[in-house]
Amino acid sequence: MSTLTASRAAPAGEDTLDDRVVRRRLGPGRRIPLGFWIGPVALLALWFAGSATGLLDPRTLSEPWTVVDTAAGLVESGRLQESLLTSAVRALLGLGIGVAVGTVLAVVSGLSRLGEAFIDGPIQVKRSIPTLALIPLLILWLGIGEEMKVVTIALGVLVPVYIHTHNGLRSIEGRYAELAETIGVSRAEFVRDVVLPGAMPGFLLGLRFAVTTALLALVVVEQVNSTSGIGHMITLASNYGQTDVIVVGLVVYAVLGLVADGSVRLIERKALSWRRTLAG
């Protein structure tokens, strides 16, 4: 604190510590190239080591090389691509609908007291009820087809997007509204130039949670009377005791999650490059 205080209090013209230097010394340090993948690669290394040394029973967890051979066989037969395409379409549809609805509700609730009165309460009620607990009711309403699966994913996605976007809207400093009123900015311009950029950090954080929630819901709904998808493939493999096929499905889910989260992180880094944070 003394260094920061001294640098701020230093008269103009004197040498002061650049903010980037301070953040480099006191912050988490320089960004590690491909650092996002170090943890997953370390887990893979432990898996290889445990299987090679016999610490992991292949009946409990198949060896990595067995899983690779099984995945190659599934790819040759076309079964893996077909299941992956089905799961990806379900996840993307549910994610898209949930993000769109959650964002609209958050904007309406965040910018209007009347909107908040009608919207925020039901969303908080939905937040307290796990989405997966609604599956029996959704089956009664929509059957066991694709509609039920997509709606379940969308309901799970909606809540984190709404919560974090709404919080981002309400966290915008009031002085910006005062300044906008002073210079005569219209409401539409205020929303476009101040509200939406100010809410972007919250929205992107909610999007990261939404991606994880979408995959979690996908895993569950694909095991409810499904006839296709990665979850269906895992369920069949479980019935026949095919541990290697189960692990292939889990690896696919993990890769989907990592790629999706990495994509959101990249978007966040580009869209919020104007922020001066410890992440630097």
Side-chain angles (χ1 to χ4, degrees):
M1 288 297 292
S2 60
T3 303
L4 289 174
T5 304
S7 65
R8 289 172 180 168
E14 294 186 6
D15 293 334
T16 58
L17 289 175
D18 188 277
D19 285 345
R20 289 172 295 180
V21 176
V22 174
R23 284 186 290 136
R24 190 177 302 127
R25 286 178 45 245
L26 304 180
R30 294 180 179 275
R31 188 181 301 278
I32 300 175
L34 302 178
F36 177 76
W37 297 100
I38 291 178
V41 170
L43 286 176
L44 284 175
L46 290 175
W47 183 17
F48 269 91
S51 298
T53 57
L55 293 177
L56 294 176
D57 189 340
R59 293 172 298 180
T60 304
L61 182 63
S62 299
E63 300 94 337
W65 43 91
T66 302
V67 172
V68 171
D69 291 339
T70 301
L74 291 172
V75 169
E76 289 180 3
S77 66
R79 184 181 171 193
L80 185 60
Q81 299 95 304
E82 181 181 353
S83 299
L84 178 58
L85 178 61
T86 302
S87 296
V89 169
R90 286 172 181 158
L92 289 174
L93 279 176
L95 184 65
I97 294 172
V99 169
V101 174
T103 303
V104 171
L105 292 178
V107 171
V108 173
S109 177
L111 298 180
S112 168
R113 292 294 183 184
L114 183 61
E116 183 180 36
F118 279 99
I119 295 173
D120 196 62
I123 293 294
Q124 298 305 327
V125 171
K126 168 60 189 72
R127 182 185 182 188
S128 64
I129 301 175
T131 301
L132 303 183
L134 297 175
I135 289 181
L137 190 58
L138 292 175
I139 290 176
L140 289 176
W141 288 348
L142 303 173
I144 58 175
E146 292 299 311
E147 294 83 359
M148 182 274 294
K149 297 175 176 58
V150 172
V151 169
T152 301
I153 296 171
L155 287 175
V157 165
L158 182 152
V159 174
V161 171
Y162 171 87
I163 294 296
H164 291 284
T165 305
H166 183 271
N167 181 68
L169 287 168
R170 287 299 171 88
S171 299
I172 297 174
E173 295 186 29
R175 59 190 177 94
Y176 293 121
E178 296 173 1
L179 177 60
E181 290 180 3
T182 302
I183 62 178
V185 172
S186 67
R187 187 172 184 82
E189 291 174 332
F190 177 69
V191 171
R192 183 192 64 199
D193 299 331
V194 178
V195 172
L196 294 182
M200 188 62 67
F203 168 76
L204 291 174
L205 178 60
L207 186 58
R208 289 186 62 187
F209 282 103
V211 167
T212 303
T213 304
L215 289 175
L216 174 62
L218 178 68
V219 172
V220 176
V221 298
E222 286 195 330
Q223 298 182 27
V224 179
N225 293 323
S226 289
T227 58
S228 59
I230 299 297
H232 173 64
M233 185 180 73
I234 291 177
T235 301
L236 288 180
S238 176
N239 294 335
Y240 293 103
Q242 298 173 314
T243 309
D244 51 347
V245 177
I246 295 175
V247 175
V248 169
L250 295 178
V251 169
V252 170
Y253 279 135
V255 171
L256 285 176
L258 286 174
V259 171
D261 186 70
S263 300
V264 176
R265 287 191 182 202
L266 179 61
I267 294 172
E268 183 179 19
R269 195 156 57 245
K270 298 296 184 181
L272 304 180
S273 58
W274 49 268
R275 293 198 306 172
R276 300 176 68 85
T277 63
L278 285 179

